[in-house]
Amino acid sequence: MPLPTNAKSATASSGAPKSKTKAKQRYLKQKKDRKRLRPKGGALLANGNPTAEAQDSEDDGGDDGDDVEMVNVEEDAEEEIITSRIAARLDTPAQTKEKRPKKRRKVELDEPESERARTVDDARPPSTEARNASSLPRSPSPPAPALPSFPLPALPNPPSKSDLALQGLDKALVDAQLIEPSTLLPLPLEGEDDGGSGLSEGMRKRLKELGITELFAVQTALLPFLLPRDRRQRAAYLPYNPPRDVCVSAPTGSGKTLAYVLPIIEILTSRVVTQLRALVVLPTRDLVNQVRETFEALGKGRGLKIATATGQHSFAHEQSQLIADKSLGLMGGSSKVDILICTPGRLMDHLTGTKNFTLQHLRFLVIDEADRLLAQSFQDWLAQVLAATRPPQRALSERPPRGPASDAPRDFVASTPDSLAPAFLHLLSIPDIPCFLTEKKESSCQKLLFSATLTRDPGKIAALDLRNPKYFVVQGARSTDEEDASMLDVAMEKFTMPESLSETFLVCETARKPLLLFHLLHEHNVTNALVFTKSAESTARLVQLITFFEAAYTSQGKGSGTIIAQAYSSDLANSERKTILEKFKAQQIHILVCSDLISRGIDISHVTHVVNYDAPVDMRKYVHRVGRTARAGRAGHAWTLVEEQEARYFKTMMRAADHMDKVKRMKVKEADLSSMTQHFEHALGRMRDFYAAARSGAPSAE
Ligand SMILES: Nc1ncnc2c1ncn2[C@@H]1O[C@H](COP(=O)(O)OP(=O)(O)OP(=O)(O)O)[C@@H](O)[C@H]1O
């Protein structure tokens, strides 16, 4: 038994020399031997566990006999166990280890510094184990089996670039159907065979009349999806089997408008009663008018009624165009039109202020230029429109009492269940008996979203409350790892440009920009171009400068003819804008200097050039602006004038979009501009006078 600590110290402090007992002598001898043969494990133990050495020194000065020996015998046994464990851990027999320290030390001395460091590292794990071992119960148990060896800690492989890009994305987007932009589907003209398009014979004939004999890539994929062969799926109401929503991302000028106009006309042609069944929302009035023309051209002879609501006309006038019956309490609403094309602002006005205007019968809700519209939070229009297409969640018990009741909600008072959509039938005041009327039915509204730069933002997509959406992305494979690379482009919002578009940028001093523009226009004989500036005010200034310059330049017989330019911006009245656009389409105006008002969607087929006079500040804007040319497979050119201080930003933007290799840099020599310099200076002088006169209020000489 070990002595209690106080007893031990009492004997030690007595100071009288004592003759060593036999046991003590034996112990000391053993200890000496042990020291002589102290194995490496022992050394390690001493390193790792200073208490062991302290114990030794305490023992050296010790004076007791058997009790002490018993303690030390136990310690020996413990040391033995530790040594054998360490040996086992190092996979070497304990015996061999006893002889190793000398050798080892010698080797260590010869080793270079790095090697020595390694040896010390190698030695570290046993010392930890030895420390652990010292806390084992003190009993002469047989050597424990070797501890299991665990694999060294290692970092997991980093996620791949594509894994990171796809993280958090809508599953439907990851599973998007990629469509090769060059895909074309010829349309057979006569007979039952629709060539896989799902289009009726009448529609194919109409397309032929309009000069369309084949479908573009986006139409090839979308039409069969929206026009299934199963005729039941083409019904106006699908309360038990509602259709899937659709999101489409396809380059500018690739024919997205027809991709939704054709199925809407085909499906609505079979309707019996006129109800508002297709709603198309667009960001600007100009686009509304353009899409209306397309509907009218293709829906000719089908008897479908088409209307627009943009605020161009008075609210009362629009109401009279939209609503047939204004009597109170028509639960199913009333409509004079089948298809309504509108801007979100005016739509909200009708939703909140027009009696019997309802969206419950919608079969199609189209959001064209979807990313732009989703960025508009005007009156929270999207949430309200979506809510109006869904049946309200009103429980049977919450229904008003049957018959007219003075305190019943307005829409139930003397309500006429004339033409409720199937999903709204549960709102009727009927007995609470489970039947066809009370069972749950879904809205038949199919949402169709389109853009050349469709957002991948999961938050914005979630706001659309899409039903089992299907994504279509028109995008060419760009490398040998096609599928993956293309999918990555989709996820990273790298947008596809029309293949027939050539893109160039020029870096110049700010003051030389107008001169460079004149040079480009005359050098390339440009007569059908859109020139984009950063604001409505700059459009007016630039048009003025072009006019002065042309007057000076061509009056001296230079150039191939006077270039006629006209401004087009939100500063102009609607009627003026309409006239200007018509003149430009008729090629009576050569250059339309415009703000971003018409950077999206506008389709003017003969535009051969787009000039970014002021460089766009983001990639989306760039894509839409340059997309006003090179439409429907025609050739087109885009020039971007980049001021010196913007060059870095512009290039970074292009690189981020992986588009820098597509945009070639053009340099114009000073000598090439010299023939215009004098006229340019003259035009600048006239500009100064013009604006000075305008400021002073004096009548201008112009
Ligand atoms: N199958 C077709 N054959 C010939 N021309 C077509 C076909 N489909 C569409 N077009 C024409 O291509 C032009 C561009 O179509 P559209 O305006 O629908 O493009 P978009 O994809 O909506 O472009 P943006 O993104 O700029 O709005 C239009 O003039 C249209 O008439």
Side-chain angles (χ1 to χ4, degrees):
M1 282 287 292
L3 278 173
T5 325
N6 51 0
K8 239 181 175 185
S9 53
T11 39
S13 60
S14 65
K18 277 188 182 174
S19 63
K20 290 185 172 94
T21 60
K22 270 187 186 169
K24 173 89 180 183
Q25 281 168 359
R26 215 169 38 243
Y27 161 68
L28 289 173
K29 187 171 176 296
Q30 277 174 357
K31 188 171 181 185
K32 230 181 228 169
D33 290 346
R34 242 187 2 252
K35 265 191 181 165
R36 197 158 25 89
L37 298 170
R38 187 181 290 281
K40 186 169 180 275
L44 289 169
L45 178 65
N47 284 342
N49 184 5
T51 51
E53 207 148 49
Q55 181 111 34
D56 272 356
S57 53
E58 199 184 315
D59 290 344
D60 276 347
D63 52 357
D64 282 337
D66 293 337
D67 283 352
V68 174
E69 190 185 17
M70 277 171 75
V71 171
N72 289 299
V73 166
E74 279 176 9
E75 282 174 357
D76 285 351
E78 184 189 349
E79 206 166 318
E80 211 87 51
I81 293 164
I82 294 165
T83 311
S84 64
R85 280 195 184 165
I86 292 165
R89 177 87 176 117
L90 296 175
D91 282 332
T92 31
Q95 214 48 37
T96 334
K97 285 208 73 73
E98 287 197 349
K99 290 176 187 161
R100 268 179 73 187
K102 275 185 195 166
K103 272 192 192 169
R104 188 76 181 156
R105 233 171 243 142
K106 198 172 170 210
V107 171
E108 276 174 12
L109 287 174
D110 298 343
E111 273 169 356
E113 197 65 37
S114 59
E115 272 300 298
R116 225 173 297 149
R118 199 164 59 79
T119 316
V120 170
D121 279 345
D122 288 347
R124 216 166 277 149
S127 102
T128 316
E129 287 186 15
R131 220 178 299 140
N132 293 341
S134 70
S135 62
L136 288 171
R138 291 164 160 250
S139 65
S141 52
L147 291 172
S149 65
F150 294 100
L152 285 172
L155 285 174
N157 288 337
S160 72
K161 211 173 142 194
S162 54
D163 286 348
L164 279 177
L166 301 179
Q167 247 176 31
L169 278 190
D170 193 337
K171 167 97 172 55
L173 180 56
V174 178
D175 296 339
Q177 180 176 333
L178 296 180
I179 310 153
E180 178 57 41
S182 56
T183 315
L184 291 171
L185 182 70
L187 284 175
L189 260 188
E190 279 161 32
E192 286 298 302
D193 177 23
D194 59 14
S197 65
L199 292 172
S200 64
E201 191 180 348
M203 182 57 86
R204 281 178 272 138
K205 278 191 180 151
R206 181 76 193 122
L207 285 169
K208 171 87 187 330
E209 283 163 22
L210 296 169
I212 294 173
T213 53
E214 55 194 7
L215 295 181
F216 286 168
V218 64
Q219 300 154 0
T220 307
L222 213 59
L223 290 189
F225 186 82
L226 296 177
L227 293 171
R229 290 206 173 275
D230 182 353
R231 295 271 148 182
R232 283 169 301 176
Q233 279 297 307
R234 295 190 182 196
Y237 296 110
L238 298 162
Y240 299 109
N241 187 17
R244 292 177 73 180
D245 292 333
V246 169
C247 298
V248 179
S249 182
T252 51
S254 62
K256 293 187 286 294
T257 315
L258 278 193
Y260 64 81
V261 169
L262 289 172
I264 290 178
I265 293 177
E266 287 284 64
I267 286 181
L268 298 195
T269 300
S270 60
R271 65 98 181 90
V272 179
V273 179
T274 294
Q275 290 290 4
L276 180 52
R277 297 176 198 272
L279 179 67
V280 183
V281 189
L282 292 144
T284 63
R285 287 174 187 174
D286 296 322
L287 281 180
V288 168
N289 293 333
Q290 182 177 294
V291 170
R292 181 191 183 135
E293 281 170 21
T294 311
F295 266 109
E296 283 173 346
L298 288 155
K300 198 174 159 200
R302 303 265 178 152
L304 292 172
K305 288 162 198 143
I306 302 160
T308 55
T310 59
Q312 262 169 300
H313 301 286
S314 73
F315 189 56
H317 174 78
E318 278 184 2
Q319 283 181 322
S320 68
Q321 299 294 301
L322 297 179
I323 304 301
D325 187 347
K326 293 195 182 119
S327 50
L328 246 190
L330 290 181
M331 292 177 75
S334 160
S335 181
K336 270 187 179 176
V337 300
D338 300 289
I339 300 165
L340 176 63
I341 310 152
C342 58
T343 50
R346 206 46 159 193
L347 173 62
M348 285 305 297
D349 292 343
H350 287 295
L351 209 53
T352 53
T354 301
K355 208 186 302 158
N356 293 335
F357 180 81
T358 176
L359 303 183
Q360 63 182 276
H361 300 282
L362 279 193
R363 173 69 172 78
F364 295 103
L365 169 60
V366 180
I367 304 180
D368 201 348
E369 305 298 345
D371 55 320
R372 163 93 182 269
L373 283 171
L374 293 183
Q376 285 182 11
S377 58
F378 179 75
Q379 282 186 29
D380 201 13
W381 76 270
L382 181 65
Q384 298 215 37
V385 168
L386 293 181
T389 63
R390 285 189 294 253
Q393 301 289 318
R394 202 176 299 190
L396 289 173
S397 54
E398 291 170 29
R399 290 217 202 94
R402 296 181 68 192
S406 56
D407 56 347
R410 197 195 66 132
D411 56 342
F412 287 96
V413 177
S415 57
T416 316
D418 57 328
S419 51
L420 268 170
F424 287 67
L425 284 173
H426 67 289
L427 297 179
L428 287 172
S429 312
I430 45 162
D432 294 354
I433 303 166
C435 65
F436 161 74
L437 293 175
T438 54
E439 71 188 5
K440 187 171 161 37
K441 292 175 278 305
E442 292 209 38
S443 155
S444 307
C445 178
Q446 183 169 33
K447 284 167 240 140
L448 310 177
L449 275 79
F450 293 84
S451 182
T453 52
L454 197 66
T455 181
R456 277 56 157 168
D457 182 341
K460 286 193 179 141
I461 292 173
L464 288 158
D465 190 21
L466 298 175
R467 184 166 47 202
N468 188 13
K470 167 97 179 151
Y471 277 75
F472 294 91
V473 180
V474 177
Q475 181 153 289
R478 54 181 187 111
S479 70
T480 39
D481 274 330
E482 345 251 281
E483 208 39 29
D484 275 359
S486 301
M487 202 51 246
L488 208 58
D489 284 352
V490 173
M492 310 268 284
E493 295 199 338
K494 287 182 182 154
F495 308 114
T496 308
M497 300 289 195
E499 285 174 348
S500 53
L501 176 70
S502 82
E503 297 163 77
T504 310
F505 75 100
L506 302 94
V507 179
C508 63
E509 286 172 39
T510 312
R512 308 287 276 177
K513 248 173 31 169
L515 189 56
L516 212 54
L517 174 69
F518 303 148
H519 167 76
L520 290 173
L521 296 179
H522 280 283
E523 176 77 15
H524 296 267
N525 285 327
V526 177
T527 49
N528 297 300
L530 292 177
V531 177
F532 284 99
T533 63
K534 60 183 170 220
S535 65
E537 197 208 346
S538 9
T539 59
R541 276 176 176 271
L542 185 57
V543 167
Q544 198 60 61
L545 188 60
I546 294 174
T547 312
F548 288 144
F549 175 81
E550 286 300 309
Y553 193 62
T554 52
S555 65
Q556 301 200 352
K558 298 200 172 181
S560 52
T562 307
I563 290 174
I564 301 167
Q566 189 58 263
Y568 188 95
S569 70
S570 52
D571 275 358
L572 302 172
N574 276 325
S575 54
E576 267 182 291
R577 289 206 323 237
K578 204 171 165 209
T579 314
I580 291 170
L581 214 51
E582 274 163 14
K583 280 189 178 173
F584 182 63
K585 284 180 183 170
Q587 304 192 29
Q588 293 163 5
I589 293 171
H590 301 132
I591 310 287
L592 212 54
V593 182
C594 43
S595 61
D596 279 308
L597 186 67
I598 54 167
S599 65
R600 273 183 186 253
I602 287 292
D603 179 55
I604 305 168
S605 56
H606 68 265
V607 173
T608 54
H609 292 79
V610 165
V611 184
N612 285 314
Y613 181 77
D614 290 319
V617 289
D618 64 69
M619 197 59 197
R620 274 199 159 80
K621 211 166 252 182
Y622 179 85
V623 170
H624 288 283
R625 279 184 180 185
V626 300
R628 294 316 97 209
T629 185
R631 298 178 70 76
R634 294 183 199 91
H637 307 273
W639 294 319
T640 304
L641 305 186
V642 183
E643 294 173 23
E644 279 164 349
Q645 68 276 12
E646 299 166 341
R648 194 177 185 163
Y649 178 83
F650 179 77
K651 287 184 199 166
T652 310
M653 182 174 88
M654 288 295 149
R655 277 194 203 104
D658 229 354
H659 199 62
M660 195 61 209
D661 55 329
K662 301 268 169 50
V663 191
K664 303 279 170 273
R665 183 164 180 174
M666 186 199 282
K667 286 187 180 166
V668 177
K669 291 187 197 121
E670 202 55 39
D672 295 338
L673 301 174
S674 58
S675 65
M676 291 180 162
T677 314
Q678 189 194 343
H679 309 99
F680 176 51
E681 296 296 339
H682 179 77
L684 283 181
R686 285 187 72 187
M687 280 288 280
R688 271 192 293 274
D689 296 344
F690 179 80
Y691 279 100
R695 265 198 303 276
S696 66
S700 164
E702 309 312 324

